[in-house]
Amino acid sequence: GMATGYHNHVNEFKKDGDAFTFAAEGAAAPAGGFVLPLPEPLSALAAEVDGQPAQIENGALKFQKLPAKIVLK
């Protein structure tokens, strides 16, 4: 898993064909949401959070709540 300052973690990261899937869970709810920094190859992909299109800005994906399923393709 990937620890954060809020004691949450990404408990699953997998590649399925051309898509990358992250599953994040935990109980924190920071006021500004969560930020997932992405390496350059992944930051160029299209993103979805919980099945909805999401914007990657400045190499990072922001999302608001947990649990979250993030797909990059």
Side-chain angles (χ1 to χ4, degrees):
M2 181 177 75
T4 70
Y6 292 98
H7 306 289
N8 299 304
H9 61 280
V10 173
N11 65 347
E12 178 183 50
F13 169 72
K14 66 181 179 178
K15 187 172 191 296
D16 184 17
D18 291 337
F20 295 88
T21 303
F22 299 85
E25 59 183 43
F34 299 92
V35 177
L36 177 64
L38 298 168
E40 191 169 319
L42 295 181
S43 66
L45 300 175
E48 292 180 356
V49 177
D50 296 330
Q52 299 297 313
Q55 197 78 17
I56 297 173
E57 295 181 14
N58 300 317
L61 176 65
K62 290 184 177 183
F63 57 101
Q64 296 300 313
K65 64 183 179 73
L66 295 177
K69 180 179 178 185
I70 300 163
V71 178
L72 305 171
K73 53 185 172 181

